[in-house]
Amino acid sequence: MLALKAEGVRTIFGYPGGSIMPVYDALYDYTRGEKKAFDHILVRHEQGATHAAEGFARVSGEVGVAIVTSGPGATNTLTGVADAMIDSTPIVVIAGQVPISALGTDAFQEVDLVGVAQPISKWSYQIRRAEDIAWAVSRAFYIARSGRPGPVVLDFAKNAQTELVEFMVETVDFVRSYVPYPKLEQEAVQAAANLINGAQKPLALVGQGVELGNAQDELIAFLEKADIPAGRTMLGLSALPSTHPLNVGMLGMHGNYAVNLKEQECDVLIAIGMRFSDRVTGNLKTYAKQAKVIHLDIDKSEINKNVKTTVAVVGDCKASLPALTALINKADHKAWRDSFKPLDEMERVRVIEPAIHPQEGPLRMGEVVNAVAEATQGDAVLVTDVGQNQLFATRYFRYPKRRSICTSGGLGTMGYGMPAAIGATFGAPGRTVCCFMGDGGFQMCIEELGTIMEQQAPVKMILMNNNYLGNVRQWQDMFWNRRKSFTRMMNPCYELLAKGYGIPYKAVTDRKDLAAAVSTMLTTQGPFILECAILEDDDVLPMTPPGKSVEEMQLEVR
């Protein structure tokens, strides 16, 4: 407990068990009375603990912490660990383990956690002796939060939990062969500046790395000086305010039409803290072949991994962006920026207006998201589950503030939404947390309603119920001859579920009642479930079909 306290930890998400019981016994004293140092949030499933830690980390900028027991308790965290790894989220998972004397005997709830976690974490380590605890915890937090952030797993043998040792604070700020902040090469910065200064049609692609590096101001200064339009990845949506005039929308398979097509027209492409995911690039064989590519990233392994780079600027964007800004010329690319407008208007008329302002028929996901976004006036944190709810929500929410989005990007983890939203309420206690979920994802971690009930965590849950696994259904309709194989769902009575957990609930089936229901949700203290009956075959558009080039993005289902 003292080692966690030394790292500034205040909130822990966890679930006790036999092999972590000594830690929980010590935790008892540190969660009450004069010694109180932590708030412990008892989740209902260990996967929920890791997702809650992720949500906490994403909105707070701190390291999220989860504590669980050995065996299934530890393995239940692995989905969250993998999710945090691919989305660069700093969490530390501390899992109990059988005593060293029992290792290798197939003891009750023994599992090789270090071996299992190693490929999906930044570092995994087994604490075998009490004298190693302070060092291991400090090193874990240093690795998790430094450089490109990510998850660390500590496998904590039970004998080490019960041994006595005099505690001394250890501060780890160096690990041999680990270089979290590469030295910025001025030659690369100059080469990148030369390309930008000669560009006629530059385009920036902004990723979550900008927020992870707390470089939002540096990004804006760079873009404004060079007058560069910027698209944002899904995880990077709040790195640049939605209302900024240089924001040209969201990148990717279901992003905005103009910015995706313009990737195939720009002459200089500047990727900032993003990894060229397949969901952004589409077919790599045809992606941005006409452009000179500048890639700014803290992780050298991302350079040339997917897209061949003309100039690589390896380093923390908090440092690389100002260095680049100092060398670029003040520019005016109005004609280039104006060329986005006809495509934006085409998308607005053919896709956006019908989605957020439908005139008839059942409720649409887009109009529900829009109604909540308008009512919260940009102050809310958006949390989503995975599927159509995620894609509609990220498209139509607003992001005027930093660290305003929590969603599972790279792993696409259904069930992420509810526990991540719980974590977000503790990571940003002064902000409204709106969690959009489909009926599939809602039921994947439905047990966390118990955590919400106990904590009275003020999660505003918007359940967009279309009785389908909607995203899979859309793909089946578009690419599998409408053969809806096991995507229709029989759902429970959510009103009764809400009543069982003592959570206020309201259902909306008619759009004339939507605004009032949203207002009721937002003005009700504590948690709330708003169930919206959604058009069953509502489709997310635009869409770049899988395996196709980004210029083949479709504005309608064909």
Side-chain angles (χ1 to χ4, degrees), residues 187-201:
E187 297 84 357
V189 176
Q190 184 64 66
N194 292 342
L195 284 179
I196 293 170
N197 288 335
Q200 299 300 310
K201 297 179 178 181

Side-chain angles (χ1 to χ4, degrees), residues 43 336 453 523:
V43 297
W336 166 236
M453 172 187 67
T523 55

Side-chain angles (χ1 to χ4, degrees), residues 153-421:
V153 175
L154 292 179
D155 190 35
F156 199 177
K158 195 169 184 179
N159 63 283
Q161 299 174 42
T162 57
E163 293 167 357
L164 296 178
V165 67
E166 184 177 350
F167 175 75
M168 293 182 62
V169 175
E170 289 205 37
T171 302
V172 175
D173 56 10
F174 171 79
V175 176
R176 190 165 57 111
S177 78
Y178 171 57
V179 183
Y181 302 101
K183 183 180 179 181
L184 200 60
E185 295 183 0
Q186 193 60 32
E187 297 84 357
V189 176
Q190 184 64 66
N194 292 342
L195 284 179
I196 293 170
N197 288 335
Q200 299 300 310
K201 297 179 178 181
L203 178 62
L205 312 183
V206 176
Q208 187 193 197
V210 171
E211 288 214 303
L212 295 174
N214 296 309
Q216 298 93 335
D217 290 339
E218 290 80 1
L219 171 70
I220 291 173
F222 166 72
L223 295 176
E224 290 182 347
K225 184 175 182 181
D227 196 31
I228 299 175
R232 303 154 309 164
T233 66
M234 182 180 286
L235 295 184
L237 282 169
S238 60
L240 181 68
S242 303
T243 53
H244 195 283
L246 290 174
N247 163 43
V248 289
M250 185 171 81
L251 301 162
M253 177 179 278
H254 290 287
N256 293 107
Y257 193 54
V259 66
N260 278 281
L261 267 61
K262 291 296 183 177
E263 288 178 285
Q264 303 297 84
E265 187 182 335
C266 68
D267 56 0
V268 175
L269 194 67
I270 308 120
I272 308 168
M274 55 88 71
R275 59 186 180 85
F276 286 113
S277 159
D278 60 296
R279 283 298 193 259
V280 167
T281 64
N283 188 345
L284 282 168
K285 293 180 180 179
T286 60
Y287 180 72
K289 294 302 180 183
Q290 80 294 336
K292 302 291 186 184
V293 177
I294 301 168
H295 195 171
L296 282 68
D297 206 286
I298 199 168
D299 186 354
K300 190 175 182 178
S301 71
E302 291 296 343
I303 305 300
N304 293 317
K305 186 176 79 175
N306 294 327
V307 173
K308 184 170 176 56
T309 301
T310 309
V311 176
V313 181
V314 181
D316 187 348
C317 58
K318 186 80 171 176
S320 59
L321 281 170
L324 191 54
T325 303
L327 297 177
I328 59 175
N329 300 329
K330 181 74 174 173
D332 182 351
H333 294 294
K334 184 177 183 304
W336 166 236
R337 288 189 289 104
D338 285 347
S339 71
F340 286 68
K341 293 179 180 178
L343 295 172
D344 285 334
E345 180 64 11
M346 188 184 302
E347 181 184 358
R348 187 190 69 80
V349 171
R350 294 170 61 180
V351 175
I352 296 175
E353 282 300 314
I356 67 175
H357 296 130
Q359 300 302 308
E360 57 185 9
L363 283 167
R364 305 282 298 273
M365 287 193 187
E367 69 176 311
V368 173
V369 175
N370 185 62
V372 176
E374 288 185 345
T376 52
Q377 298 180 331
D379 286 334
V381 172
L382 170 69
V383 183
T384 83
D385 207 85
V386 167
Q388 286 186 320
N389 65 90
Q390 174 188 41
L391 302 170
F392 275 110
T394 51
R395 276 181 58 83
Y396 295 120
F397 214 69
R398 318 279 196 274
Y399 311 95
K401 292 186 176 181
R402 301 171 180 181
R403 294 191 175 272
S404 290
I405 180 170
C406 293
T407 193
S408 175
L411 200 62
T413 306
M414 288 182 68
Y416 170 94
M418 194 185 300

